[in-house]
Amino acid sequence: PLSVAASGVTGGADLRDLGERSGREASEEPVAGLPIRVVLREVDLQDVVFASANAPFTIPDATVSDVTVVPEPGALVLGARVTTEHGSVVAEGRLTLPGYNLTGTITQGDVAVAQHWWLGATGGTVSGPFSLRRGQLNADLGLVDGQIDQSGFTVSKLAGNIAMRYPIITTALAGEGLGGPVTAEGTVNIAALSYTATGTATPQLADAAGWLKDLLGLEPDAFEASGRASVTASVD
């Protein structure tokens, strides 16, 4: 039996070949040896700061707090808050041992955490289940009250679904922009550093003209517009 209490902890991990290593460990046959089995009785962690290196994708600097660890036969039940400079993610899950398969739920995540990869993601929250098995990360998240700010163009009240099957992310969202409804579907390939997206919008031309004048640095009275347009766009 073992109890662990620690505070003011700093540390890090090298995540190189994480998937191959975890898969190999899960498939290894038991090795004969001393019949010693560690049983965690209590775990109390506070003020934990954790860094990572050589991950298969870039990860922002983060602080891990509100850590909870509850041992149970063959697994650990975990909970934590991960905070970056842009926001935080609260999650809970179950880690099986020794296979190191993690299944859990993001109970609340700030979309702004994604600013590490895309500065345009400025608002909203996500929640939903995720799993990490043999290096494969999957997640199915729901977005509410999202906001995107890009080149002076704002889309707000975004809602919809985001699915990750690493390295592929697919999404279907709907919101409001330039005085009208906006819908979009997209795919991001993290490994290939590429994306494709299609969208439709029905903007008010007066709002669109104001955005265009700001984007081009024109005088407010450079031109006027009225009415409504129907727009379909594809981007990759």
Side-chain angles (χ1 to χ4, degrees):
L2 179 68
S3 295
V4 179
S7 64
V9 178
T10 60
D14 188 328
L15 303 180
R16 185 186 293 111
D17 301 328
L18 173 63
E20 293 182 8
R21 185 166 61 249
S22 62
R24 186 167 58 248
E25 290 171 350
S27 62
E28 287 178 349
E29 294 294 329
V31 178
L34 293 174
I36 296 176
R37 180 170 60 93
V38 175
V39 179
L40 287 174
R41 296 299 191 192
E42 295 182 48
V43 180
D44 182 11
L45 304 178
Q46 300 178 33
D47 300 327
V48 177
V49 179
F50 185 79
S52 61
N54 296 312
F57 41 83
T58 62
I59 298 176
D61 294 336
T63 300
V64 183
S65 61
D66 301 336
V67 178
T68 60
V69 182
V70 179
E72 63 177 41
L76 297 175
V77 178
L78 310 173
R81 175 186 298 272
V82 180
T83 304
T84 73
E85 63 175 318
H86 300 295
S88 63
V89 176
V90 180
E92 56 189 26
R94 185 176 188 271
L95 178 67
T96 61
L97 302 173
Y100 300 104
N101 292 322
L102 176 64
T103 57
T105 301
I106 295 176
T107 56
Q108 181 173 344
D110 295 327
V111 171
V113 170
Q115 289 187 41
H116 177 74
W117 301 277
W118 178 31
L119 292 177
T122 57
T125 59
V126 293
S127 60
F130 70 91
S131 65
L132 179 61
R133 297 186 176 94
R134 298 194 176 188
Q136 176 62 46
L137 176 61
N138 296 334
D140 291 282
L141 306 178
L143 168 68
V144 295
D145 201 24
Q147 181 165 311
I148 293 172
D149 293 284
Q150 185 70 43
S151 302
F153 174 54
T154 298
V155 180
S156 60
K157 300 181 181 179
L158 278 168
N161 299 315
I162 303 170
M164 170 182 279
R165 302 293 182 269
Y166 184 81
I168 304 298
I169 299 174
T170 57
T171 183
L173 303 173
E176 297 180 4
L178 297 179
V182 176
T183 61
E185 297 181 353
T187 300
V188 179
N189 187 322
I190 298 173
L193 300 178
S194 66
Y195 67 90
T196 60
T198 60
T200 61
T202 311
Q204 293 282 358
L205 288 182
D207 294 339
W211 167 71
L212 185 60
K213 285 184 283 190
D214 290 340
L215 181 66
L216 300 178
L218 303 177
E219 295 295 329
D221 58 354
F223 62 89
E224 299 298 330
S226 61
R228 185 179 290 274
S230 178
V231 180
T232 301
S234 298
V235 184
D236 62 61

